[in-house]
Structures are given as C-alpha cells and as structure tokens.
Amino acid sequence: MTRNPYRIIVVKDGEEHIRQFSIGKLPFILLFVFMIASGTSIFLLFTDYYSHQEYQNKLVQLQTDNTQLIKKIEFQEEKINQFVERLDTIISQDKVLRDLIKLPQIHDDIRKVGVGGSTSPEESSLEYLLPDSNHQIDLKAFSRTIDYYNRLANLEYMIYDEILETVKTDVKRYRSYPAVYPINLNEAKISSTYGYRRDPFKRRKQFHPGHDFSADRGTHVLATADGVVKESKYYGTFGNYIEIDHGYGIRTIYGHLSKRIVKKGDKIERGEFIGTVGNTGRSTAPHVHYEVLYKNKNTDPANYYFVDYLN
Ligand SMILES: [Zn+2]
C-alpha cells in the first residue's frame, strides 16, 4: 500500500505544465471535511447576512410607511380640528338665533348626552398615535372621535331645521302684516288720518276709518302686505274698490281708484302694484282711501307702519 495514495492534480488553463501533489488518506479526508465545512460556513454566513439585510430594508420601508401614515393622521387631525371649530361657531350662532326668535335654548348637556357616546374632545388627542408615545396606537378611539362629531353635526343640522321652520312661519306672518304705505310718499301726502274729522260733504264731525293719501290721478297704489284679493269691484261711495285678505285676521281696503289692476282671487305680494289713484265714488279730489281691518274692525293704519308715517 502506497504511503500517499491520493494525488491532487492542478491544471492551469492554457498551460501544458501540470502540478501534482501526493497526499495521505487522513490528510485528504481532513482537507475534504475542511472544504465542506468552510463552504457550508461561508454559505450560512452569506445567507444570514442577506436575510439580515433584507430585514433591515423592510424595517426602513416600514419606518418610512409609518412616518407617512402618522403625517396623514396628523393631517386628518388638523382637518377635524377645523371642522370642530366650525361646529363651535355654528353652535354659538345657533344660541344667538334662538335668543332672537325666542326659541328655547338647547342645553349644553343635551348636546353632549343627546348625541350619545361618552367620548369627549379631550380624549380625542392623537398624541397616543405618535412614535414617542408610550400609548399604543388606538385607531378605534380615533374613529370614535370622528363618530362623536358626526353625531354632533347631525344634531346641529336638526336644530337648524327647527330654527328655519320657525323663521319661515315668522316671515309669513311678518309679510302678512301691513307694514308699509299703500303709496310712495314721494308721490303723495297724507291728507286725512284715522279718527273723527269734519266731513267734507255733510259739514259735521264724522269718523274716518282710515288714511287718505292725496296724489295725482294715475299714481300707483301698492299692496301693503302679502295676501289674496278678496274684492276688486266698483263699490258705492268707495268707487273703484280693492280689498285684500292677509290672513291672521288682517284685511286692507283701497278706495276711489281710477283703475283696478288685480282681480278677485289674485295672490298679492307686499309692494305689488294693484291700482291707480283716482277720484271715483264719494271723493272731492284724487286720493286713495286706505283702511286696515283686524278681526273685521277698523284699526288705525298708523299702528302698523314700520316707519314713522309723518315723515
Ligand atoms: Zn278716506
């Protein structure tokens, strides 16, 4: 048996020269084992390095994503804060409005309890979402906060609906109130007021149930409030006569007109042109005779004008 039974032959590419090494059985096995072991080690080292590198890359990616997410959440928080500020403004305006139109105030407790849920704005701080925070990220709390303000906004919406309805009713009533003159005072002047006066025909004191506005024939006569034309006709001593029903027990009448523009049943708005000044019926000069009746009784038109009628 040869002492070195194994031979390692090394051939360099492109050269004819061949190197040979004789080696014993044991060293050969040791060399073989060493090569396998170092190969495996190198393989494992590289694998570990690469997986670690991959982990690092993923970590960096996650940190980047996380920063972006936090930025997005902060941006949302900013938007929510703006929304809450606007909501606060609406709530203060609502209080002022209620005061103006004599609606009972909504108690702050109702705003808090009425919307349900116990999340108060203090709990809505998003600091717990930040990386330095010791708190855990609680997106549920974030979502609850948004829900809370959504319900608050909804309550405020219903409250505004109620205010709007009340204002609408009040506006209708206000517009049915004969608050203006039946004629432009730049084109007319009051020639007779409400009460007892010397009758121009009978030469004795007689009750005058309205206001007379003298003006040129043809001057426009205007409805003093919203309503429906109840009469438009020639009516004895009134001459050409228009009567408007404003609802709420209020009626106005306009007499001695030269022309009637509207007919019975017409819907009229305040300030609408309804006829022209004339001298029809029992009248000595062109003028409009104007009366305001409340629950079928004559009342002083001066009590209804929203401006000083002597101006
Ligand atoms: Zn009169």
Coordinates of all heavy atoms in Angstrom, one line a residue, residues 193-198 205-208:
T193 N -106.2 111.6 8.5 CA -105.8 110.5 9.3 C -107.0 109.8 9.9 O -108.2 110.1 9.6 CB -104.9 111.0 10.5 OG1 -105.5 112.0 11.1 CG2 -103.5 111.4 9.9
Y194 N -106.7 108.8 10.8 CA -107.8 107.9 11.4 C -108.4 108.7 12.5 O -107.7 109.3 13.3 CB -107.1 106.6 11.9 CG -108.0 105.6 12.5 CD1 -108.7 104.7 11.7 CD2 -108.1 105.6 13.9 CE1 -109.5 103.7 12.3 CE2 -108.9 104.6 14.5 CZ -109.6 103.6 13.7 OH -110.4 102.7 14.2
G195 N -109.7 108.6 12.6 CA -110.4 109.2 13.8 C -111.5 110.2 13.3 O -111.9 110.2 12.1
Y196 N -112.0 111.0 14.2 CA -113.1 112.0 13.9 C -112.6 113.2 13.2 O -111.5 113.7 13.5 CB -113.8 112.4 15.2 CG -114.7 111.2 15.7 CD1 -114.3 110.3 16.6 CD2 -116.0 111.1 15.2 CE1 -115.1 109.3 17.1 CE2 -116.8 110.0 15.6 CZ -116.4 109.1 16.5 OH -117.2 108.1 16.9
R197 N -113.3 113.6 12.2 CA -112.9 114.8 11.4 C -114.2 115.4 10.8 O -115.3 114.8 10.8 CB -112.0 114.4 10.2 CG -112.7 113.4 9.3 CD -112.0 113.3 7.9 NE -112.8 112.5 7.0 CZ -112.4 112.2 5.8 NH1 -111.2 112.5 5.3 NH2 -113.2 111.5 5.0
R198 N -114.0 116.6 10.4 CA -115.2 117.3 9.8 C -115.4 116.7 8.4 O -114.5 116.6 7.6 CB -114.9 118.8 9.6 CG -116.1 119.6 9.2 CD -115.8 121.1 9.3 NE -115.8 121.5 10.7 CZ -116.8 121.8 11.5 NH1 -118.1 121.7 10.9 NH2 -116.7 122.2 12.7
K205 N -119.0 116.5 12.2 CA -117.9 115.6 12.6 C -118.3 114.2 12.3 O -119.4 113.7 12.5 CB -117.6 115.7 14.1 CG -116.6 116.8 14.4 CD -115.9 116.6 15.7 CE -114.8 117.5 15.9 NZ -114.1 117.3 17.2
Q206 N -117.4 113.5 11.6 CA -117.7 112.1 11.3 C -116.4 111.3 11.4 O -115.3 111.8 11.3 CB -118.2 112.0 9.8 CG -119.0 110.8 9.6 CD -119.4 110.5 8.2 OE1 -118.9 111.3 7.3 NE2 -120.2 109.5 7.9
F207 N -116.6 110.0 11.8 CA -115.5 109.1 12.0 C -114.8 108.7 10.6 O -115.5 108.3 9.7 CB -115.9 107.8 12.7 CG -114.8 106.9 13.1 CD1 -113.9 107.3 14.1 CD2 -114.6 105.7 12.5 CE1 -112.8 106.5 14.5 CE2 -113.5 104.9 12.8 CZ -112.7 105.3 13.8
H208 N -113.5 108.9 10.5 CA -112.8 108.5 9.3 C -112.0 107.2 9.7 O -111.1 107.3 10.5 CB -111.8 109.6 8.9 CG -111.2 109.3 7.6 ND1 -109.8 109.3 7.4 CD2 -111.7 109.0 6.4 CE1 -109.5 108.9 6.1 NE2 -110.7 108.8 5.5

